[in-house]
Amino acid sequence: MAHIAVVLAAGKGTRMRSALPKVLHEVAGRPMLAWVLDAVAATGPQRTIVVVGHGGDQVMASLPPGVEACVQEPQGGTGHAVEVALAHVGDGDEDVVVVPGDVPLLREDTLAALAQGGEAAATILTAVLGDPTGYGRVVRGEDGQVKAVVEQTDADAETLAIAEVNVGMYRFRRADLAEALAGIGVDNAQGEKYLTDVVGWLVAHDRPVEAVEADPVETMGVNDHVGLARAGRVRRRWILERWMGDGVAVDDPETTYVDAGVTLAPGVRLHPGVHLKGDTRVEAGAEIGPDSYLEDTVVESGAKIWYSVVRGARVGPDVQVGPYASLRPGTVLARGAKAGTFVEMKNTTVAEGAKVPHLSYLGDAAVGERANVGAGTITCNYDGYDKYRTEIGADAFIGSDTMLVAPVTIGEAAVTGAGSVITRDVAPGALAVERSPQREIPGYAARRAARKATHEAED
Ligand code: UD1
Ligand code: CA
């Protein structure tokens, strides 16, 4: 049976204590709702409708193309939310699959099995929990058939002792759902229209409801930051297990954080303490870490990055980065280049084989092939108002502690003397030195010692 999907995401998420709508909080680098919508899309629904309310504009802005939104205002409960969605959808006879927006661990197969349907008027997913507190309990009759779902706030002691809970995911036959929603009221502790009451209504009207037990981990709903962190840990483990299966070596999965959007090649090695975020891609044979943070960065084969922060950069084949480098957006290192200890770069290209080994800042710069940039070199790229470029030619040798006051160009194979403040272009092959001549005063140490001795004698 064809189906439409309704994702409930209008609730406030009070326990997050956050201005950000609950479903937009991230798990492994993606909003919870994005994970849910992936699982929903895999079931092949005719239409997908997200019910929004609190923070609706933000939630709507996050939706992928093809997913519709409808606004539930005010929020009159989960049953009311589904009514609003059905009104938005209009006529039709597809099944209706309902999923909450806060279940970021939901697996495609589980939801697909639910969406497949069956003969019953409704199928609900359940889980057996060690601690069912807070959930709606699944009440079964002596024959084992589902009788009703009773909310925590409406349950008596006997019902509260039931360990099987409703995880908030359902498949309904459309006509039965609409009829039941029209038939139920708001006579409960919260004065809301509960979607869960549809179950009892259907059973009472001789339309049996099926229950399918699911894995409590993947159906876990996130209500607060403790749950968010727990879900993040599980998702990250799944992501790493997938990459390890593909041949990626992960020394310590417990301290390795790889976001959903990252791509890794077989033969990559991740040392402990690595964070790979955003749209990062690492090619075969590259080694990252220990303790490195990469965001929106491409690392080509054989490169090695350790103890470094790299954002929006491209690290070429066999490049070495770190320890303690900070590469900022627009940095491109070509094959065999080096950005070494305590080196910061921004919007800078370093051509093949060029080295920046120690203690440097290069911003808005281009370094030519095989050039060597000495320790302590700084591009003075900012005059307080604007940024300017520095060009360093191929095979140039920048002496230690050179200040390159941009805009400035150092010609091919040119040399700057250590400690120079370079304010004018240097011709190819030339040496530019800017420093006062060294003076030498003979016998100074002895005279100084004698002066000290005299002072002490006087005291
Ligand atoms: C709901 C179920 C409960 C189940 C639990 C599983 C009901 C009445 N109870 O309880 O049986 O054990 O989920 O997590 O359905 N929402 C709306 N509009 C509303 C109210 C809620 O869109 O008016 C959305 C929320 O944003 C959320 C979902 O529906 O995504 C569930 O709402 P929530 O308030 O968390 O329901 P629970 O009390 O947890
Ligand atoms: Ca909930």
Side-chain angles (χ1 to χ4, degrees):
M1 182 71 189
H3 67 280
I4 59 168
V6 174
V7 180
L8 303 185
K12 193 167 186 182
T14 313
R15 282 169 286 171
M16 296 305 293
R17 294 175 172 269
S18 165
L20 188 68
K22 178 165 86 169
V23 295
L24 295 187
H25 284 265
E26 290 192 353
V27 165
R30 296 182 79 205
M32 288 198 264
L33 183 59
W35 287 111
V36 172
L37 289 174
D38 271 6
V40 166
T43 69
Q46 305 289 309
R47 293 170 71 178
T48 300
I49 296 94
V50 179
V51 182
V52 304
H54 281 279
D57 290 343
Q58 270 173 284
V59 176
M60 280 193 264
S62 83
L63 299 180
V67 172
E68 304 164 47
C70 68
V71 179
Q72 183 200 17
E73 186 62 57
Q75 287 87 40
T78 49
H80 175 244
V82 172
E83 277 181 330
V84 170
L86 290 183
H88 169 90
V89 168
D91 291 339
D93 63 353
E94 303 97 334
D95 279 358
V96 179
V97 173
V98 179
V99 189
D102 60 359
V103 286
L105 300 178
L106 184 60
R107 285 188 190 265
E108 294 173 0
D109 297 353
T110 307
L111 197 60
L114 178 69
Q116 293 274 288
E119 294 310 303
T123 309
I124 68 171
L125 279 193
T126 72
V128 175
L129 302 184
D131 177 11
T133 309
Y135 288 87
R137 308 299 202 279
V138 177
V139 180
R140 291 176 185 261
E142 273 161 19
D143 56 358
Q145 293 296 306
V146 173
K147 277 172 50 185
V149 173
V150 178
E151 293 305 292
Q152 168 93 19
T153 41
D154 302 301
D156 58 21
E158 192 187 340
T159 307
L160 288 176
I162 297 172
E164 187 181 15
V165 305
N166 167 37
V167 298
M169 298 171 212
Y170 322 76
R171 178 203 56 85
F172 297 102
R173 279 207 308 248
R174 174 89 150 262
D176 294 298
L177 174 62
E179 202 186 331
L181 283 170
I184 61 178
V186 294
D187 182 18
N188 53 56
Q190 302 184 67
E192 292 184 344
K193 195 168 239 195
Y194 287 168
L195 184 56
T196 45
D197 284 348
V198 166
V199 173
W201 191 94
L202 290 172
V203 173
H205 291 77
D206 292 326
R207 287 167 240 182
V209 172
E210 253 180 353
V212 176
E213 198 182 319
D215 169 20
V217 172
E218 73 167 286
T219 51
M220 178 194 122
V222 169
N223 293 315
D224 55 19
H225 284 280
V226 174
L228 189 69
R230 191 173 294 152
R233 199 157 55 236
V234 174
R235 258 297 164 197
R236 284 198 306 272
R237 199 184 68 227
W238 289 350
I239 289 170
L240 287 176
E241 282 171 2
R242 182 193 143 202
W243 290 123
M244 287 189 274
D246 280 2
V248 173
V250 181
D251 288 13
D252 181 17
E254 298 287 309
T255 62
T256 306
Y257 301 76
V258 174
D259 278 358
V262 171
T263 335
L264 304 174
V268 165
R269 177 158 179 205
L270 305 181
H271 293 267
V274 167
H275 302 245
L276 303 180
K277 318 277 286 179
D279 197 10
T280 291
R281 178 160 59 85
V282 185
E283 293 179 359
E287 252 184 83
I288 318 286
D291 293 342
S292 291
Y293 179 101
L294 276 61
E295 195 176 311
D296 299 331
T297 285
V298 175
V299 182
E300 295 186 67
S301 60
K304 187 166 162 47
I305 298 178
W306 54 322
Y307 296 102
S308 292
V309 176
V310 184
R311 294 177 297 131
R314 184 170 190 105
V315 176
D318 303 318
V319 163
Q320 284 193 50
V321 175
Y324 312 112
S326 169
L327 304 184
R328 294 162 48 200
T331 299
V332 179
L333 301 172
R335 180 184 295 278
K338 178 168 185 173
T341 315
F342 299 117
V343 168
E344 177 179 350
M345 291 186 188
K346 184 218 67 170
N347 189 28
T348 287
T349 58
V350 180
E352 199 167 320
K355 308 260 188 277
V356 188
H358 334 270
L359 294 162
S360 291
Y361 171 64
L362 299 185
D364 306 308
V367 180
E369 291 176 11
R370 297 171 304 277
N372 188 87
V373 176
T377 296
I378 287 171
T379 54
C380 311
N381 61 327
Y382 184 49
D383 63 3
Y385 301 99
D386 294 301
K387 302 279 171 71
Y388 301 97
R389 288 193 60 78
T390 300
E391 310 276 347
I392 298 173
D395 298 302
F397 184 93
I398 306 300
S400 293
D401 199 27
T402 297
M403 298 295 120
L404 297 161
V405 181
V408 70
T409 297
I410 311 297
E412 271 186 35
V415 175
T416 66
S420 295
V421 177
I422 302 296
T423 52
R424 292 195 308 268
D425 291 355
V426 180
L431 164 68
V433 197
E434 183 282 332
R435 60 188 181 214
S436 41
Q438 184 169 328
R439 288 203 299 151
E440 188 161 319
I441 300 161
Y444 172 77
R447 281 205 303 285
R448 182 164 166 271
R451 202 160 55 228
K452 172 88 170 143
T454 315
H455 280 306
E456 274 170 12
E458 283 170 359
D459 284 345

